Amino acid sequence: MYARVYDNVMLCFLPYHQLLYTVTEKLNPQAGWHVLDAGCGTGNFLHHLLHYRPGVTAVGIDYADAMLHRAAVKINNNKDVGKDVVLQETNLNYSIPFKEEEFQGVICVNVLYAVDNPVFLLKELSRVLQRGGRLVLVTPPFQPRIGPVFREHVLLLKERKPFLWPFSLAGRILCLAPWLFIFLILNIFIKKQQSFHFFKREELLSLVKNCGFELVSLEKVYGGQDWFLEAVKPAAKVETVESVYSPEGGVACLR
Ligand SMILES: C[S@@+](CC[C@H](N)C(=O)[O-])C[C@H]1O[C@@H](n2cnc3c(N)ncnc32)[C@H](O)[C@@H]1O
């Protein structure tokens, strides 16, 4: 059900479209790069990335076959993109089935908060990323709310359609309302089933550093509902002996 409503809701929001552009731009993959999308969902980021960056190949992994099925339909419908993507059912709570340093770029958008152990996942992403490779990580700082995203949507709409925006907004609300209602109910249900990990700025910085990455930039996007983090895996090994966020709560020491 979540897979069925996901695109109907997310693709209605201009901030989500903006996020698609920003992820591609900041990852900035070059022809010949092999990119991993960890938790690719319905494949929106893969589709965007490969459409705008020909010559890039990618693997999308997710544990929900209903999401992957939608990703496959989207990607296979686009001949330019389809041949360059492999989709694979994989649970990110376990070791991911790729060799050391297999990828030049990794993206992970709104997934880290939902896995059992964010430290484990980030270390896996670091393992499969080449030295000098780039990570783009997007994750919410707190339980995301729809209100600020909606406000940002209206601001972007006013910029794009200075005169027609009220009509465009009214039409969008009418189409979106039933899907959004189901989506919000599903989110409440999911929240009750699962515990999530939300990071403050300092926690996220220390987490990423201690999992072997060097920070490039960290900012809030998506109406303030997401951290947008760019990092690289440094050419030389970095020390990983420091306090980091632990999923059990508090701070753990990785030695
Ligand atoms: C909010 S969606 C984000 C999807 C996509 N990255 C996007 O931004 O459109 C979260 C995705 O993470 C996947 N996911 C959550 N926990 C996972 C896990 N342990 N292993 C693999 N995928 C997982 C879900 O199936 C879902 O597709």
Side-chain angles (χ1 to χ4, degrees):
M1 181 64 99
Y2 186 76
R4 189 170 289 189
V5 295
Y6 190 80
D7 278 356
N8 286 326
V9 172
M10 299 306 285
L11 292 173
C12 272
F13 281 106
L14 291 175
Y16 185 73
H17 284 267
Q18 205 171 40
L19 197 56
L20 292 172
Y21 274 95
T22 315
V23 167
T24 300
E25 243 171 54
K26 297 284 183 176
L27 186 72
N28 195 19
Q30 308 300 305
W33 275 33
H34 195 38
V35 173
L36 173 68
D37 183 352
C40 62
T42 58
N44 293 325
F45 287 86
L46 283 174
H47 184 265
H48 191 275
L49 194 76
L50 275 88
H51 180 74
Y52 286 98
R53 301 298 171 115
V56 171
T57 56
V59 180
I61 55 178
D62 201 290
Y63 69 176
D65 62 348
M67 298 294 261
L68 283 177
H69 174 72
R70 280 176 164 74
V73 170
K74 191 175 294 159
I75 285 164
N76 292 333
N77 275 345
N78 186 332
K79 284 199 192 79
D80 296 342
V81 168
K83 63 184 186 331
D84 299 322
V85 185
V86 172
L87 297 169
Q88 195 170 317
E89 198 176 320
T90 302
N91 189 337
L92 295 167
N93 293 326
Y94 302 97
S95 287
I96 51 179
F98 304 109
K99 294 195 301 277
E100 270 72 21
E101 310 205 1
E102 191 165 332
F103 299 95
Q104 283 79 38
V106 172
I107 62 175
C108 183
V109 183
N110 284 327
V111 178
L112 189 74
Y113 72 97
V115 296
D116 288 350
N117 186 341
V119 176
F120 177 78
L121 174 57
L122 277 178
K123 288 188 151 197
E124 277 294 282
L125 298 184
S126 168
R127 178 181 69 75
V128 300
L129 188 62
Q130 248 179 31
R131 296 196 177 280
R134 293 177 70 80
L135 168 76
V136 167
L137 177 72
V138 179
T139 195
F142 33 65
Q143 191 66 63
R145 286 174 297 127
I146 201 86
V149 184
F150 197 74
R151 272 198 292 281
E152 183 148 313
H153 174 84
V154 174
L155 287 177
L156 291 169
L157 195 61
K158 281 181 177 170
E159 270 172 31
R160 287 177 196 195
K161 300 183 176 177
F163 302 110
L164 293 177
W165 72 267
F167 303 101
S168 179
L169 185 64
R172 203 35 79 85
I173 289 172
L174 281 179
C175 298
L176 183 64
W179 297 115
L180 190 58
F181 179 72
I182 300 171
F183 192 67
L184 293 176
I185 298 284
L186 287 173
N187 270 316
I188 292 170
F189 178 74
I190 292 168
K191 255 188 270 170
K192 287 198 171 141
Q193 308 281 310
Q194 217 180 331
S195 62
F196 292 141
H197 310 275
F198 300 115
F199 303 104
K200 297 195 177 87
R201 187 186 176 82
E202 293 312 317
E203 285 171 341
L204 191 59
L205 290 175
S206 114
L207 177 69
V208 164
K209 183 175 163 222
N210 284 287
C211 291
F213 295 100
E214 206 169 80
L215 181 78
V216 176
S217 71
L218 175 64
E219 58 181 324
K220 275 198 185 156
V221 293
Y222 201 60
Q225 301 300 294
D226 265 330
W227 290 118
F228 189 104
L229 183 143
E230 282 178 87
V232 290
K233 179 169 169 181
K237 237 184 178 149
V238 290
E239 287 297 318
T240 59
V241 185
E242 261 184 50
S243 58
V244 294
Y245 171 84
S246 126
E248 287 81 34
V251 164
C253 212
L254 287 183
R255 281 181 191 274

